[in-house]
Amino acid sequence: MAHTTVTAELIAQATCPGVEEAIGYEDGWQVRDGAHWLVTREDTRIVSRRIDASCGQVFAEQREWNSPAPGVHGYASPARGGLLFSGPDALTSLGPDGEVLWTLPHDAWQDDELGQAACTLTPSGQHVIATMYGSAADGEYAGDVCVALDAHTGQLVARSVLPSSSAAYMFQQLANASEPLLLSAAQGQEDYLSLLVTLEGEELTVTSCGTFDDPFTGSSNSNGSLLKLALGGESLTRWEADQGGIFRGLAEARPDTLPIPGQQFVLRPGYIDDSTVIAPVAEKDDWAPEQSTHFLLDGQSLGLRGELRYPFPISPDPIALGDGTWLTTSEDEVFRWCATA
């Protein structure tokens, strides 16, 4: 099948120790307050790096934090100059100077290989939303919960029982920094929930978005469209809220329509800009590909636009930034790309 090839142009490069390992974790790449962040670990330190919005370089800001739970990975989320950290049995808020503002202890999952908490600020910055182990009055496990806390004090504002249990969670914000929050819940390898979280006053609402096997890719455009990838890689769909605020699937791409046979969508397709999606594909049943082919798709229809060609080998997992650029990694190096006309 004849198709267009598009050249990827390198526009910036930076060193980021541990980045290849980091982006395999739920908190390695995050969208917060309309900005993109990479979060890495160096010994007992957590390092948060904000991607430069001007595209002239890779990073615009870097902050280092002493981990509240050394030796434990946890989930770390940038929080407007501070840091939120969800450990196995406590949620901690750190201030800009690294001081502990407050800590909320909670029961730990019995199997820390399954239950993994996550946290984020709301778009307003007034509340923290977090997932954690839920205990009944007798202390027994009562299902995973999502809580809303006052961002300044850690005081509980609202609580909602989640439809998932002992799951690994990941929060992302929409690119336009509006609600709802995107919450992905991985229950093992074959059961993945996509949830929407909204806080209105003291009411915390968690609703399902789609089926049990098509998690968010974490990427959205400034119009609020988001992408979901079927766990088997057999489809990529664009979702958007209707006038009633209900998200619906509006377009679908399938790998069998691409010019390379025997492929599946993999990793993190995302919006390069509002009208263009980058979608990596790899051979079927290769769940941890060492290489992938990157295609450009139309941001509305998800129809094929072209195949990207790079000047040198790149990582299989692109991170789309929504400003016309995307990132790839190699060992401790981060590369920023754009597509030439």
Side-chain angles (χ1 to χ4, degrees), residues 84 91-94 100-104 128 149-154:
L84 297 169
L91 172 64
T92 303
S93 176
L94 301 177
V100 175
L101 302 179
W102 51 261
T103 298
L104 177 67
V128 172
L149 310 169
D150 183 286
H152 301 290
T153 65

Side-chain angles (χ1 to χ4, degrees), residues 229 233 264-269 279-283 286-287 289 292 316-318:
L229 176 62
Q264 64 185 10
F265 289 116
V266 294
L267 304 168
R268 279 177 280 217
V281 301
E283 293 184 1
D286 186 358
W287 307 115
S292 67
D317 193 359

Side-chain angles (χ1 to χ4, degrees), residues 98-334:
E99 71 277 18
V100 175
L101 302 179
W102 51 261
T103 298
L104 177 67
H106 58 79
D107 291 335
W109 279 281
Q110 299 304 306
D111 186 348
D112 58 9
E113 293 298 320
L114 296 176
Q116 297 177 21
C119 54
T120 183
L121 279 180
T122 56
S124 70
Q126 297 179 3
H127 297 92
V128 172
I129 307 295
T131 60
M132 58 184 60
Y133 180 102
S135 300
D138 58 3
E140 292 296 317
Y141 176 62
D144 297 355
V145 297
C146 185
V147 298
L149 310 169
D150 183 286
H152 301 290
T153 65
Q155 182 177 356
L156 181 67
V157 174
R159 181 179 185 271
S160 179
V161 177
L162 292 166
S164 48
S165 60
S166 295
Y169 294 98
M170 178 179 67
F171 277 111
Q172 294 288 18
Q173 292 185 9
L174 295 173
N176 57 12
S178 64
E179 295 204 41
L181 298 169
L182 311 183
L183 176 60
S184 297
Q187 300 179 125
Q189 296 181 347
E190 299 180 353
D191 193 356
Y192 215 125
L193 302 181
S194 297
L195 306 171
L196 302 170
V197 180
T198 304
L199 178 66
E200 295 183 358
E202 296 185 357
E203 183 177 354
L204 184 65
T205 303
V206 179
T207 57
S208 295
C209 183
T211 61
F212 287 89
D213 61 354
D214 57 346
F216 301 122
T217 69
S219 178
S220 61
N221 66 14
S222 64
N223 299 318
S225 292
L226 54 88
L227 298 171
K228 301 186 74 184
L229 176 62
L231 277 182
E234 68 273 12
S235 67
L236 175 68
T237 55
R238 180 178 70 85
W239 290 67
E240 191 171 293
D242 60 20
Q243 292 184 346
I246 304 299
F247 277 84
R248 305 184 186 281
L250 300 180
E252 180 183 65
R254 303 189 70 85
D256 55 14
T257 64
L258 298 175
I260 305 177
Q263 303 289 294
Q264 64 185 10
F265 289 116
V266 294
L267 304 168
R268 279 177 280 217
Y271 282 97
I272 291 177
D273 55 39
D274 283 353
S275 61
T276 310
V277 168
I278 184 171
V281 301
E283 293 184 1
K284 285 185 177 179
D285 300 324
D286 186 358
W287 307 115
E290 294 184 359
Q291 60 183 12
S292 67
T293 302
H294 299 173
F295 286 98
L296 297 181
L297 310 179
D298 182 86
Q300 291 293 308
S301 68
L302 299 185
L304 177 64
R305 285 188 175 178
E307 177 185 344
L308 280 165
R309 294 291 175 86
Y310 292 87
F312 52 82
I314 47 86
S315 62
D317 193 359
I319 297 176
L321 301 178
D323 56 8
T325 71
W326 68 97
L327 304 178
T328 65
T329 63
S330 178
E331 297 182 348
D332 288 342
E333 295 297 307
V334 180

